[in-house]
Amino acid sequence: MDTVDKLQALGTAAQFDVCGYCGGRTIPPSPDFPWRFIHRAALPGGGSVSLMKVLLTNACVNDCAYCVNQVGRDGPRYSFRPEELAKLFTTLYERRQVQGLFLSSAIAGSPSRTMESMIDTVAILRQRYRFPGYIHLKVLPGATFDCVAEACKMASRVSVNIEAPTAQHLARLSSGKDLATGILEPMRWVKKIVSSDEALVPAGQTTQFVVGAARETDQEIWHATQALYQEMGLRRVYFSAFHPVAGSRLEGPPTPPMRQHRLYQMDWLLRVYRFDPPELELALGKEGNLPLAKDPKLVIAQRQPWLFPADVNRASYEELLRVPGIGPVGAGRIVEARRDHSIDSLEQLKKMRVLTRRAVPFLWFQGMPASERQTSFLPQLESGTPAPEHVFLARVAS
Ligand code: SF4
């Protein structure tokens, strides 16, 4: 089999490999390349990059139930040699068809032996071909400390995929992966290695959950997500809705993409809006899941009616940020603008990037037309609304 055939097989396989999610979108096939292996990914500092997303091999000893590469599944198995893959990438890079590499792999034999081949590939790119650009390198579950340390020396970003929120959930999906020793331990190693030298792994460490594959709740995923940010210093946590793949062991309905989206909205409220973890809990329903039909920020607002309506001309930045329809840009512009003048019209708010249709029920300003003074959020309050002694109020007051 020649190199291009392997690229077709292992580039296509990487699209189904849930180990290999990197954020962004897959570039549709083109006349030059009638299969998918180029992925447009967002860069941590802004902008985006075209990544060649590929597996080193699709031969695997593991039996992850959601994966087409699982051991025992019929189908051809292919592997790149490190030199071969490095040369192929360099050719595509020089033709300006790709700008960076996302290298993942199934586990052929032992995790460390496979990782050594992945590291060899990256070493050839960095040292022989002097490739200076972005490389996202997977750390395979079960790899040794030495492999992880070598990966950290050469990669822009590394990731170990957690897949499920607890050991019990992971055991439902795979008999070959151990959460504590195979996944959390390498994450800790990355954290330790990176903290010893800030120049290493500039784009940080990430991970990913397969959402809905192990019958877990959003609450279980969410609690694990917060712990990962706090304890492992992760740059990002990704969520990938489970989708049954023909030929894999795990059948059943796919996870609604909206469930994935709601988890990303929670992640955004935590990382960008800096909502407190206890406040974010308000978004979860009684069964421990996020409502699919409603934005978590709206749910949180409706469960804290004592915070609203917020006075546009007096509310703090943090209080404005809790108004549905006002993001960090809008809240910042309101605070900035009212240093010069008071805000007394919806038109002014629209110009400040406020989504007034969403925000109006939660806002107030002097002279607000009576027709705009809605309280439509009040009837939607759920029973069991917590008392106003919520931790958020204490924080704002302090
Ligand atoms: S380790 Fe699991 S998810 Fe990764 S390629 Fe092997 S079977 Fe698939």
Side-chain angles (χ1 to χ4, degrees):
M1 182 176 232
D2 72 18
T3 302
V4 174
D5 291 335
K6 284 186 194 174
L7 177 59
Q8 177 169 4
L10 295 172
T12 304
Q15 307 314 312
F16 295 107
D17 174 17
V18 287
C19 285
Y21 184 74
C22 49
R25 65 187 175 85
T26 304
I27 304 288
S30 67
D32 276 353
F33 298 107
W35 64 89
R36 293 165 192 259
F37 71 94
I38 300 176
H39 197 89
R40 196 87 196 153
L43 286 172
S48 62
V49 65
S50 290
L51 297 181
M52 172 179 170
K53 182 179 171 189
V54 70
L55 303 184
L56 186 79
T57 177
N58 65 350
C60 199
V61 294
N62 267 354
D63 62 354
C64 306
Y66 48 81
C67 180
V68 285
N69 300 323
Q70 63 190 247
V71 66
R73 179 183 157 263
D74 288 340
R77 306 288 174 161
Y78 307 108
S79 299
F80 278 117
R81 287 173 286 104
E83 301 234 348
E84 183 185 20
L85 183 53
K87 195 170 171 193
L88 172 64
F89 173 81
T90 304
T91 305
L92 295 172
Y93 176 67
E94 286 172 352
R95 286 191 207 155
R96 298 172 185 240
Q97 285 164 318
V98 295
Q99 297 160 297
L101 175 66
F102 183 107
L103 181 57
S104 184
S105 184
I107 299 174
S110 83
S112 291
R113 221 173 304 139
T114 310
M115 266 225 78
E116 281 162 15
S117 297
M118 295 165 76
I119 289 165
D120 286 348
T121 307
V122 176
I124 294 168
L125 282 175
R126 292 287 195 222
Q127 289 155 19
R128 187 186 308 166
Y129 294 111
R130 303 275 168 205
F131 174 65
Y134 183 89
I135 297 179
H136 182 155
L137 190 57
K138 296 299 303 177
V139 171
L140 300 182
T144 61
F145 178 85
D146 288 348
C147 282
V148 173
E150 279 305 304
C152 289
K153 278 185 203 158
M154 289 182 286
S156 316
R157 167 168 278 184
V158 296
S159 55
V160 195
N161 282 352
I162 191 164
E163 317 294 16
T166 68
Q168 290 75 19
H169 289 106
L170 188 61
R172 283 184 196 153
L173 301 178
S174 175
S175 68
K177 286 180 178 170
D178 182 88
L179 184 67
T181 59
I183 294 170
L184 298 180
E185 190 69 7
M187 280 184 187
R188 269 191 209 97
W189 291 337
V190 172
K191 184 185 175 196
K192 190 173 159 200
I193 292 162
V194 170
S195 66
S196 70
D197 183 347
E198 283 183 2
L200 296 177
V201 196
Q205 176 179 200
T206 64
T207 193
Q208 180 206 279
F209 288 95
V210 184
V211 178
R215 304 195 300 278
E216 76 293 322
T217 62
D218 290 337
Q219 186 170 43
E220 287 163 328
I221 291 182
W222 184 241
H223 287 174
T225 297
Q226 291 176 98
L228 287 167
Y229 278 128
Q230 221 166 26
E231 291 168 29
M232 302 296 181
L234 295 193
R235 189 71 61 89
R236 284 294 308 272
V237 173
Y238 292 99
F239 309 99
S240 177
F242 164 68
H243 200 282
V245 178
S248 68
R249 278 194 294 125
L250 199 60
E251 292 177 349
T255 300
M258 186 52 78
R259 187 176 169 197
Q260 172 186 305
H261 181 64
R262 295 297 181 221
L263 284 163
Y264 275 122
Q265 288 178 312
M266 289 285 278
D267 182 74
W268 194 251
L269 291 175
L270 179 73
R271 288 186 306 108
V272 180
Y273 286 58
R274 302 202 173 277
F275 277 29
D276 286 330
E279 189 178 14
L280 286 164
E281 291 287 312
L282 298 176
L284 292 156
K286 290 190 184 74
E287 308 299 322
N289 288 313
L290 297 165
L292 293 182
K294 217 185 263 184
D295 181 338
K297 187 176 169 187
L298 177 62
V299 178
I300 291 168
Q302 289 175 337
R303 299 198 71 197
Q304 304 185 97
W306 49 87
L307 296 181
F308 307 105
D311 183 339
V312 177
N313 289 296
R314 296 172 63 96
S316 68
Y317 174 85
E318 287 81 6
E319 287 164 338
L320 289 169
L321 215 45
R322 276 149 178 89
V323 174
I326 298 185
V329 173
R333 287 185 183 173
I334 291 171
V335 170
E336 183 69 30
R338 66 191 193 193
R339 289 196 183 117
D340 290 336
H341 54 83
S342 62
I343 296 165
D344 52 16
S345 78
L346 292 177
E347 284 313 308
Q348 283 173 293
L349 290 170
K350 276 181 195 160
K351 285 181 189 153
M352 294 173 199
R353 296 260 302 267
V354 171
L355 301 175
T356 51
R357 194 173 50 81
R358 271 193 230 163
V360 153
F362 300 88
L363 278 182
W364 181 83
F365 52 81
Q366 191 72 44
M368 190 171 183
S371 58
E372 302 290 358
R373 294 174 68 174
Q374 304 169 35
T375 51
S376 56
F377 63 94
L378 290 173
Q380 296 171 41
L381 280 173
E382 295 172 20
S383 61
T385 301
E389 292 83 38
H390 188 267
V391 65
F392 163 64
L393 291 182
R395 188 169 66 84
V396 169
S398 65

